[in-house]
Amino acid sequence: MTSDNDRRRGLLARLRGRPAVRSRGRRRLGAAVRLIAALMLAGGAYTVFAPGAQAQDNPPLTGAAAEGKALFDVSCVTCHGRNAQGVEGRGPSLIGVGAASVEFQVSSGRMPLARQEAQAHRKPPVFTDEQTRQLAQYIQELGGGPVVPEGDDLRDGGNVAAGGELFRINCSQCHAFGGGGGALSSGKFAPSLHPATDRQIYAAMLSGPQNMPVFGDNQITPEQKADIIAYIQETLKTDQDPGGFNLGRYGPSTEGLAIFLVGIVALVFASLWIAGKS
Amino acid sequence: MKRRKFDLAATPGKAAVGVDDRFQVATPLRRLLNKVFPDHWSFLLGEIALFSFIVLLLTGVFLTFFYEPAMTEVVYDGSYAPLQGTPMSAAYASSLDLSFDVRGGLVMRQMHHWAALLFMAAIVVHMLRVFFTGAFRKPRETNWIIGSLLFWVGFLAGFTGYSLPDDGLSGTGLRIASAIMLSIPVIGSWLTSSIFGGEFPGTIIISRFFIAHVLLIPGLLLALISAHLGLVFKQKHTQWPGPGRTNGNVVGERMFPRYALKQGGFFMVVFGVIALLGGLFQINPIWLFGPYEAWVVSAASQPDWYVMFLDGSTRLMPAWQINIPIGDGYVIPPLFWPTVVLPGILVGLSTMYPFLEARHLKDRKSHNLLQRPRDVPARTAVGAMAVAFYIVLTLSGANDVIADKFQISLNAMTWAGRVGLLIAPPLAYYITYRLCLGLQQHDREVLAHGVETGIIRRLPDGRFVEVHQPLSAANGHADGHGELDYVGWVVPKKMNRLGALGPAVRGFFYPIEKPVEAPVSPGHPPVEPRGERAEIGSGETRH
């Protein structure tokens, strides 16, 4: 609103033009009148443009959000505080995190947190889908933020090849080439993508949970998100491993283990057998 | 015309005479075919490496029929759908075609990779055998050096092969290799730009690595392996000490016919194990890593296991950068120490070890008899120290995977590696040394007192003593004491069992005869079965 005011004053100054030479009394009177007029204009503009919602301290919550608030006040308030404003040293403020964040954290069982540690682990979810939606609605109405689009199939029309390229550029540094996850510093980690649903992957990209960066719609468009989800769900998870047992897709480290545990062990027994036959 | 009678049985002999008349090979061939191989199982470990090298040559030739060593950019249109339409190098596209569109290509590729891992693993296991038994001592130092070089040349062969598919993993490895070369003071930048033909990655490296991988390095390996085997024939095998075995003879089996047949069988076993690995265990799924792009680095990008110790040393190295204020300032990056200096020291130490040990012990004699590891505690402990050092580094090379899968902090893993690198080797030295002394002592005890029988006897005065079965007949000494000298071979420690291995039992899978009552140590010349079991005398109580 202050910017409104400034702009208006500047406009007046420009409209006024170069003043003619007048007597001192008239100049003073004119100045007083202009001041009053400007003040009235500014005040009027304020009352017209100021957001009316801000006048109300507690906007009425919709039905679902009210249900969500009830759940929040029982299960989440300890760490996230009253009105989700956060508690120093326990839990962050949830103002502005959006429904996407709530959906990811609650539906994957990460919230409620089992204990304070480097990073939350995936667990069986505590809340039903309906309750998760209510919680998400509450947080959404409280402070706004990103929202996952409707529907369970968010990879519709996704291009697997394009998704693969995006995945390798944006995701594989942490989640690894096979989506099995990887280590970050100090006990943090990028989790395995295998249990994640379409909606959870989408929500994670939108909200950047834990140590993950946010991939907003400006960085990765919704179409590209669909490509990535299609690659994860249709290639990484359904790949039949044409080469046989995939050794957990942990890269060359388990391959090195296998050559000793399988190859060398089998052949040492073979040489014991052959030498024993002399 | 009179029809001559065809004598089938005489044909091979006649043919052989015909060959010998022309080439005069009978005398040298007889020498060759009569080469005697000792029959202990540990002598077969080197053969695993030899046979996997043969498998490597066979599968590698197949791969070259389809692989295209070029970095020209193509758009993939093969049968692997998730990469269709992706721009990539011709090398990567042909590797994908090999995996998905060439019949049997994937199993050949996987066999080649598994055979490479097995080749290096068998070299290391064989090397440990040679080290711990003292087989490297004079006159075989040269062969030890050749063997060590085989490891390092195999290391190069593995690395160049790892780079050829030009997938994400290959390129990441190459990038690290270029960084290592760049870290070398003074010559680093010249070295890198001459190898890569300019700035990394350039357009030439794949074709250069290809020719190194399929011609230069295999040629070098073949030459070294030939020299290695030639020296084994010239210098003859070492053998374990035992009855009838001296420093001046070799007891064992002639190469022809039985040993050669057995080795043919063993080759089939090695081939079979590699084929099983290639068919059942997926190795390096290049289609998941995607084409190499400089901005794509996957988590869990590790080198193959034999290079992993260098990755580990790099991860453990603190960020100690040396700035030398000459001119505009000169920097020696911390990468230089764990990846150039450390392997340099390791190559030097490993190849020079035989001379270091001989100098330390002032030992100038020739040794054809092996030593049991327990009998040379210092060497065994040094070996254990080296193994501990290598294992700490190798585990640290995979520390992100270990940290993630076992839910340990990555920082904790790094610090554990740093501390472990300093503490584990001396600890391994101490523990191994004590174990060797303990085992030695137990051997001497059994020789002096006999084998424990588990029979406890109560003496008239109320004491309890364990009855020992003496190893030799009690002549002169009522208790069978002090008769036997240690000869450097297995001392029987169980009742009615002599030797560590069971006797040779006839039969393919199941014995077709009952084993003799009192078996002998393997490879011993046949001894007369004992008429009666020795009477169990009472051993002395331990003083």
Side-chain angles (χ1 to χ4, degrees):
Chain A
M1 85 210 166
T2 49
S3 64
D4 272 0
N5 221 341
D6 289 347
R7 209 180 299 142
R8 229 153 268 283
R9 230 183 263 137
L11 191 71
L12 276 174
R14 259 181 272 134
L15 283 174
R16 199 174 53 206
R18 183 171 284 276
V21 183
R22 281 167 284 191
S23 77
R24 193 199 284 172
R26 281 196 63 178
R27 272 210 307 279
R28 282 195 177 152
L29 187 66
V33 168
R34 280 199 297 276
L35 183 64
I36 290 163
L39 283 173
M40 284 178 67
L41 204 64
Y46 175 79
T47 46
V48 171
F49 290 104
Q54 210 145 328
Q56 296 166 301
D57 276 347
N58 291 307
L61 294 168
T62 58
E67 298 278 341
K69 180 171 166 45
L71 288 169
F72 182 93
D73 286 344
V74 172
S75 300
C76 320
V77 74
T78 320
C79 298
H80 291 295
R82 283 169 54 78
N83 295 325
Q85 283 164 337
V87 176
E88 186 72 32
R90 256 190 253 162
S93 161
L94 300 182
I95 307 298
V97 300
S101 181
V102 178
E103 184 173 344
F104 176 83
Q105 303 283 3
V106 177
S107 74
S108 68
R110 287 180 168 82
M111 294 291 152
L113 204 58
R115 60 187 167 274
Q116 295 281 351
E117 56 186 329
Q119 188 171 327
H121 291 259
R122 177 180 269 274
K123 300 187 292 290
V126 171
F127 295 104
T128 62
D129 288 353
E130 182 61 30
Q131 289 170 323
T132 308
R133 233 184 327 277
Q134 290 164 351
L135 278 169
Q137 185 62 31
Y138 170 57
I139 296 299
Q140 185 66 30
E141 290 187 10
L142 212 52
V147 181
V148 182
E150 291 298 313
D152 280 335
D153 180 19
L154 294 178
R155 61 188 130 154
D156 197 27
N159 178 346
V160 170
E165 193 167 0
L166 287 165
F167 179 86
R168 289 190 294 272
I169 293 172
N170 294 293
C171 317
S172 71
Q173 298 92 316
C174 302
H175 292 287
F177 61 95
L184 303 172
S185 60
S186 304
K188 299 167 202 153
F189 60 95
S192 166
L193 299 176
H194 289 274
T197 64
D198 288 9
R199 288 189 69 82
Q200 285 167 350
I201 298 172
Y202 203 106
M205 286 192 277
L206 274 184
S207 64
Q210 321 275 344
N211 297 289
M212 182 166 156
V214 173
F215 294 95
D217 286 348
N218 294 332
Q219 285 128 331
I220 292 184
T221 64
E223 294 75 42
Q224 290 175 324
K225 287 193 171 78
D227 293 346
I228 291 178
I229 295 171
Y231 179 73
I232 294 170
Q233 306 287 37
E234 288 166 18
T235 302
L236 289 186
K237 287 195 197 171
T238 58
D239 189 44
Q240 294 298 307
D241 286 315
F245 174 47
N246 63 19
L247 297 167
R249 285 196 192 151
Y250 296 150
S253 40
T254 44
E255 293 163 6
L257 201 62
I259 197 64
F260 280 94
L261 291 185
V262 180
I264 289 291
V265 165
L267 288 171
V268 164
F269 274 106
S271 58
L272 275 167
W273 178 58
I274 287 177
K277 289 278 162 192
S278 55
Chain B
M1 195 174 145
K2 191 181 174 187
R3 189 157 174 265
R4 274 200 297 188
K5 199 178 172 195
F6 182 68
D7 185 1
L8 189 68
T11 316
K14 272 186 184 169
V17 167
V19 169
D20 188 46
D21 285 345
R22 289 168 181 84
F23 302 108
Q24 283 90 42
V25 287
T27 314
L29 211 57
R30 182 189 296 275
R31 242 181 101 75
L32 187 74
L33 295 182
N34 278 349
K35 166 163 170 61
V36 169
F37 284 85
D39 48 14
H40 194 259
W41 66 272
S42 65
F43 290 86
L44 297 173
L45 298 173
E47 262 105 345
I48 302 175
L50 178 68
F51 297 149
S52 31
F53 182 68
I54 296 172
V55 176
L56 277 171
L57 291 182
L58 296 176
T59 51
V61 168
F62 179 88
L63 298 184
T64 57
F65 293 154
F66 304 98
Y67 175 74
E68 191 187 342
M71 290 170 89
T72 43
E73 189 169 289
V74 297
V75 173
Y76 180 71
D77 62 347
S79 58
Y80 184 65
L83 284 172
Q84 277 167 3
T86 308
M88 57 180 66
S89 70
Y92 182 57
S94 66
S95 306
L96 286 176
D97 288 341
L98 240 171
S99 306
F100 292 109
D101 295 311
V102 174
R103 191 174 293 259
L106 182 58
V107 73
M108 291 301 248
R109 222 198 88 223
Q110 300 204 129
M111 275 177 73
H112 191 72
H113 204 143
W114 281 120
L117 296 194
L118 184 64
F119 177 65
M120 298 302 285
I123 285 182
V124 168
V125 175
H126 173 61
M127 208 168 183
L128 292 176
R129 192 280 287 181
V130 169
F131 181 86
F132 283 117
T133 61
F136 57 82
R137 291 173 298 167
K138 188 183 172 187
R140 296 182 179 77
E141 303 98 327
T142 320
N143 233 8
W144 168 265
I145 293 174
I146 293 175
S148 313
L149 290 181
L150 271 169
F151 176 84
W152 293 108
V153 178
F155 182 99
L156 283 183
F159 182 73
T160 48
Y162 177 91
S163 305
L164 288 183
D166 203 24
D167 63 325
L169 203 54
S170 304
T172 306
L174 266 178
R175 174 83 266 194
I176 295 169
S178 85
I180 290 171
M181 286 185 265
L182 276 172
S183 78
I184 303 173
V186 186
I187 62 163
S189 42
W190 280 281
L191 183 69
T192 317
S193 45
S194 55
I195 286 179
F196 285 88
E199 186 51 63
F200 172 87
T203 52
I204 191 82
I205 188 68
I206 291 289
S207 7
R208 282 188 179 168
F209 268 29
F210 178 70
I211 205 67
H213 184 74
V214 303
L215 179 72
L216 303 178
I217 296 174
L220 191 57
L221 279 176
L222 207 56
L224 286 171
I225 289 173
S226 311
H228 199 70
L229 294 181
L231 278 176
V232 168
F233 274 78
K234 179 76 188 76
Q235 297 178 328
K236 301 193 168 53
H237 265 86
T238 50
Q239 63 184 346
W240 288 107
R245 295 154 180 233
T246 67
N247 206 27
N249 70 358
V250 191
V251 177
E253 235 177 320
R254 283 186 180 144
M255 182 158 115
F256 201 79
R258 267 196 68 184
Y259 193 79
L261 281 175
K262 273 165 76 170
Q263 289 311 295
F266 194 37
F267 172 69
M268 296 302 170
V269 172
V270 173
F271 195 104
V273 167
I274 293 173
L276 277 179
L277 282 166
L280 297 180
F281 293 87
Q282 179 167 290
I283 187 165
N284 193 12
I286 53 168
W287 52 92
L288 292 178
F289 283 98
Y292 178 62
E293 290 154 306
W295 51 89
V296 171
V297 178
S298 166
S301 283
Q302 256 100 15
D304 281 342
W305 75 265
Y306 45 87
V307 188
M308 220 176 268
F309 76 101
L310 286 183
D311 205 318
S313 63
T314 310
R315 291 175 189 213
L316 297 187
M317 179 75 193
W320 291 337
Q321 181 167 294
I322 299 176
N323 295 300
I324 303 169
I326 304 173
D328 297 332
Y330 197 84
V331 170
I332 300 179
L335 184 64
F336 176 63
W337 308 107
T339 56
V340 181
V341 174
L342 178 78
I345 294 173
L346 292 183
V347 173
L349 273 183
S350 66
T351 49
M352 287 300 116
Y353 184 81
F355 303 103
L356 295 176
E357 189 189 287
R359 192 184 162 87
H360 179 67
L361 298 175
K362 298 186 175 59
D363 178 8
R364 292 185 192 82
K365 288 200 286 280
S366 282
H367 299 279
N368 295 319
L369 286 178
L370 299 174
Q371 290 168 311
R372 296 176 80 198
R374 67 185 63 179
D375 293 333
V376 198
R379 179 202 296 145
T380 309
V382 165
M385 200 161 92
V387 170
F389 185 79
Y390 190 88
I391 286 179
V392 170
L393 286 184
T394 303
L395 289 180
S396 297
N399 66 5
D400 60 326
V401 176
I402 296 171
D404 185 42
K405 302 311 164 198
F406 294 97
Q407 300 187 358
I408 305 166
S409 159
L410 182 57
N411 305 41
M413 282 297 298
T414 305
W415 275 104
R418 285 172 180 168
V419 175
L421 196 63
L422 297 178
I423 288 185
L427 204 63
Y429 184 95
Y430 178 76
I431 292 173
T432 313
Y433 204 100
R434 301 308 304 178
L435 279 176
C436 288
L437 292 186
L439 288 167
Q440 269 185 32
Q441 194 183 1
H442 192 236
D443 280 354
R444 305 303 188 276
E445 234 169 58
V446 170
L447 287 170
H449 298 285
V451 180
E452 292 174 0
T453 58
I455 300 169
I456 308 291
R457 175 190 278 180
R458 189 175 183 189
L459 299 182
D461 57 5
R463 285 184 300 157
F464 289 95
V465 293
E466 186 182 0
V467 177
H468 284 73
Q469 179 189 12
L471 293 177
S472 66
N475 51 342
H477 297 266
D479 51 7
H481 256 192
E483 302 296 319
L484 298 167
D485 288 328
Y486 180 66
V487 294
W489 183 233
V490 179
V491 174
K493 302 230 170 126
K494 281 184 182 158
M495 292 274 286
N496 300 327
R497 169 82 190 262
L498 296 166
L501 265 183
V505 179
R506 290 180 60 203
F508 193 71
F509 285 115
Y510 299 102
I512 56 173
E513 61 183 14
K514 206 167 172 288
V516 287
E517 189 70 9
V520 293
S521 170
H524 280 199
V527 288
E528 294 299 314
R530 298 180 178 190
E532 287 295 314
R533 284 169 75 180
E535 191 185 334
I536 296 174
S538 71
E540 188 62 17
T541 49
R542 309 264 173 89
H543 301 295

